[in-house]
Amino acid sequence: MNCIVVGAGNAGRPVARLLNYAGHKVRITDPKNIEDFHKDVQKTLKVMENEGVELNLGVFEPDLDGIDTVYLSPTVPENSPSYKIIKEANLDVFTNDDFGRLTDSLIDIDIVGVTGSVGKTSTTHMVSEIFRTAGYQVWLCSSMTQNLVSEVIVDGIIKGLPERADIAVLELPHGTAGLMGELQLKVGALLNIYEEHLSEFGGSMERYTQRKMFISKNSENFITSIHCKDIVKDARPDAIFYSMVKDLPDYDASKKEDYFKGIANSQSIPISETQICNFIGDSAKGAIDIGYSFKNKKDELFEGSFESEFHMMSYYYENAVAATAITMAYGLDVEIIKKGLANFKGLAVHMEYIGDYNGREVFVDASYLIEGITAALDFLGDRNLVLLLDNFDTSTKRDKKETGKLMGKYADVMIATGFNEVYQRIDYEPAKELLDAATDSEAVKVVAGTMEEGAELSIKYSKPGDTILHLGPQLMQDPEGIMDKIVTGLEEGCRKYE
């Protein structure tokens, strides 16, 4: 068919590229010229052009001559000339559901999918490590490769990666879920749902939740945390639940051992009148304890507990319980899972230690939601702590009041930077908002323009023995670039202030 894709944004590009790969004649149009796009997007558009997609950019009124099918990107304004022309034309419409079914048809291996607000990337990589330990060839798609995972998936399909793999392990952020909501999953996991990206859903938590809940209807085996029990109880009464033991309802720390004894003896932990917690975990230095009791689709009961070598920290523990539930539900053996957890060495920009700078230990972490920040701060909270903070507004504006208030409780120094990596400009308002929220904190508060300036000042306002922790979402936009800026600033600070 002859297709036109209206809008060369995050939805339009992967749709156009995959339609072209599937053998259709495709034209993509957008009012922006190619040089108006981010440099990474320009590269993608040029790749698409080389593959055969016709680029028709800098055009406000698309030419529909010879076109029989249209994909209209969801971000195209209803008052735009393109929108009006398309709506008045008598064309077949290619929808996101159509795209999801096309994508699914081109992946002829089992798929494990992971979605949620926090922990998707870590869990996806941990699951992949366990499958690799079991001897599987894994096709892994995550935001560590590229922020827009739908483009990673499409790129992998075009390069033939599914044909060379035994299993696909896909991170499914909300944008990818919107495009690929018809993927059929052997195992699907919903980790959690917190307030995030609501500006993209008209401020509606209900609409955001509905987007995430696609995974409940498309998963043969469905894993979720106890945080989601009220959300999923009607949609998936067969859900397999997991939790850290400390997060269980009415948890009694003095009886912690009883929880593991119970779950290892067919007494899964009740979390409601009709549901149980099938996997529980507990952290220990250099190890993790996990108890389990669940039935697979063949109604076979698996129960027991184990301790695994595990060298991660903070939120990695909960993600390890999720990864265990996912891989055990798929059918992997406990001993393989233990080895896989021991083999997992963590991820860049997730509680990553980057070195000692004149006696200051420096960590970086890409957390930006309350839950992830709390886990990071709890791990480091007994130290003299200097926080080096991103501009917390990327393309999404975030409520920074509670975040700033929380960080102020832990920090001795807060340095907030204003540079926005998405728009490539300095905006001091988000930085000021973070610092102003810490009204009850005695922390020294400093505003900086760029990340280099902020990192340099973190040396100035610290002393040997202190810990410097970078927090914020910009690391996920450009991990290598942000890391270079942090290191450059730290090195300059060491020269200037020591």
Side-chain angles (χ1 to χ4, degrees):
M1 59 188 178
N2 294 329
C3 308
I4 187 167
V5 173
V6 181
N10 291 348
R13 295 192 305 276
V15 170
R17 194 176 180 202
L18 199 64
L19 281 171
N20 177 75
Y21 173 76
H24 304 291
K25 186 175 181 180
V26 182
R27 179 191 308 156
I28 189 168
T29 182
D30 196 282
K32 294 166 65 175
N33 291 300
I34 192 167
E35 59 268 17
D36 297 326
F37 288 93
H38 189 279
K39 60 182 179 180
D40 293 336
V41 174
Q42 292 181 36
K43 292 178 183 178
T44 300
L45 289 168
K46 289 174 181 176
V47 168
M48 292 166 55
E49 186 176 36
N50 290 335
E51 292 172 344
V53 176
E54 179 187 345
L55 303 186
N56 192 20
L57 305 178
V59 173
F60 287 85
E61 298 184 5
D63 179 8
L64 303 182
D65 186 39
I67 299 295
D68 50 59
T69 302
V70 61
Y71 175 80
L72 185 62
S73 297
T75 54
V76 175
E78 293 186 12
N79 61 354
S80 67
S82 294
Y83 188 93
K84 294 177 181 178
I85 289 171
I86 294 300
K87 286 299 181 181
E88 292 172 0
N90 185 25
L91 299 173
D92 290 334
V93 176
F94 189 80
T95 67
N96 286 349
D97 286 349
D98 293 327
F99 180 70
R101 286 188 284 268
L102 174 61
T103 305
D104 187 69
S105 71
L106 295 170
I107 304 175
D108 194 24
I109 51 177
D110 285 345
I111 303 173
V112 173
V114 180
T115 194
S117 299
V118 179
K120 298 183 296 297
T121 306
S122 302
T123 305
T124 300
H125 281 259
M126 214 176 297
V127 167
S128 297
E129 184 60 48
I130 294 170
F131 275 112
R132 290 193 186 101
T133 301
Y136 286 70
Q137 292 294 318
V138 180
W139 177 38
L140 167 65
C141 295
S142 88
S143 57
M144 292 294 292
T145 304
Q146 182 182 327
N147 193 47
L148 189 63
V149 181
S150 56
E151 290 198 319
V152 178
I153 295 171
V154 168
D155 188 67
I157 291 172
I158 291 172
K159 291 177 178 176
L161 299 187
E163 287 82 0
R164 301 199 290 273
D166 303 310
I167 194 165
V169 182
L170 310 181
E171 178 184 346
L172 298 172
H174 72 277
T176 303
L179 275 176
M180 299 183 176
E182 293 300 313
L183 284 175
Q184 301 303 304
L185 310 176
K186 188 70 174 180
V187 185
L190 172 63
L191 305 184
N192 41 58
I193 298 179
Y194 300 122
E195 289 192 5
E196 170 65 352
H197 300 293
L198 295 192
S199 61
E200 300 173 42
F201 294 88
S204 171
M205 185 65 176
E206 181 179 358
R207 288 177 56 196
Y208 177 62
T209 300
Q210 288 173 348
R211 173 69 62 82
K212 293 292 186 185
M213 279 293 288
F214 89 96
I215 202 165
S216 68
K217 69 180 178 68
N218 289 5
S219 301
E220 181 179 331
N221 301 274
F222 180 58
I223 314 295
T224 190
S225 74
I226 60 168
H227 304 297
C228 298
K229 63 184 178 66
D230 291 333
I231 297 170
V232 307
K233 61 184 179 182
D234 294 328
R236 288 301 295 254
D238 62 340
I240 295 172
F241 289 93
Y242 71 91
S243 175
M244 293 298 288
V245 66
K246 65 180 177 61
D247 294 329
L248 290 168
D250 303 317
Y251 171 62
D252 184 346
S254 67
K255 300 178 181 178
K256 182 167 68 173
E257 293 302 319
D258 293 338
Y259 292 89
F260 285 89
K261 291 177 183 177
I263 205 168
N265 292 283
S266 302
Q267 299 173 27
S268 302
I269 309 302
I271 58 175
S272 75
E273 292 182 1
T274 59
Q275 296 165 331
I276 58 175
C277 194
N278 306 96
F279 288 79
I280 58 171
D282 191 34
S283 58
K285 187 175 181 180
I288 186 168
D289 295 319
I290 295 177
Y292 58 93
S293 178
F294 79 102
K295 288 185 178 181
N296 65 11
K297 289 297 180 182
K298 298 179 181 178
D299 207 35
E300 298 169 325
L301 177 66
F302 294 83
E303 57 185 6
S305 62
F306 65 87
E307 178 183 287
S308 173
E309 182 182 345
F310 193 64
H311 299 288
M312 299 297 102
M313 59 187 75
S314 66
Y315 45 70
Y316 279 120
Y317 287 117
E318 184 172 350
N319 297 341
V321 184
T324 298
I326 291 166
T327 51
M328 199 176 291
Y330 186 82
L332 297 191
D333 183 75
V334 169
E335 290 304 313
I336 290 293
I337 294 171
K338 287 170 61 176
K339 291 178 182 177
L341 293 175
N343 288 341
F344 181 68
K345 305 303 181 187
L347 300 178
V349 310
H350 290 72
M351 285 307 294
E352 180 182 3
Y353 175 67
I354 64 170
D356 182 303
Y357 288 81
N358 283 5
R360 292 99 161 144
E361 286 192 311
V362 181
F363 294 82
V364 296
D365 190 88
S367 295
Y368 52 89
L369 295 182
I370 289 288
E371 294 74 21
I373 292 171
T374 300
L377 293 175
D378 280 344
F379 182 78
L380 299 173
D382 59 347
R383 312 181 186 202
N384 288 329
L385 193 58
V386 177
L387 296 183
L388 174 59
L389 307 172
D390 271 348
N391 182 324
F392 268 57
D393 290 346
T394 51
S395 56
T396 298
K397 287 192 176 293
R398 298 180 170 90
D399 183 354
K400 294 163 285 296
K401 292 181 181 178
E402 290 301 316
T403 305
K405 183 178 180 181
L406 170 68
M407 293 188 294
K409 294 178 181 178
Y410 291 81
D412 297 280
V413 179
M414 297 172 66
I415 301 172
T417 61
F419 192 79
N420 188 311
E421 288 292 328
V422 174
Y423 300 114
Q424 292 289 296
R425 63 172 181 256
I426 293 175
D427 180 1
Y428 288 110
E429 287 307 310
K432 292 176 181 176
E433 190 177 340
L434 273 176
L435 299 182
D436 289 345
T439 53
D440 297 330
S441 173
E442 296 181 0
V444 175
K445 303 178 183 73
V446 181
V447 173
T450 66
M451 185 54 64
E452 294 96 328
E453 293 172 20
E456 182 181 318
L457 291 172
S458 71
I459 298 294
K460 178 180 179 179
Y461 287 95
S462 62
K463 60 186 183 302
D466 289 354
T467 296
I468 298 171
L469 171 64
H470 170 278
L471 288 169
Q474 308 275 357
L475 270 171
M476 297 307 296
Q477 302 292 327
D478 181 15
E480 291 184 4
I482 297 294
M483 191 73 79
D484 285 344
K485 292 173 183 177
I486 292 172
V487 170
T488 297
L490 290 170
E491 291 175 345
E492 181 61 27
C494 288
R495 286 190 291 269
K496 186 178 291 187
Y497 298 112
E498 293 293 320

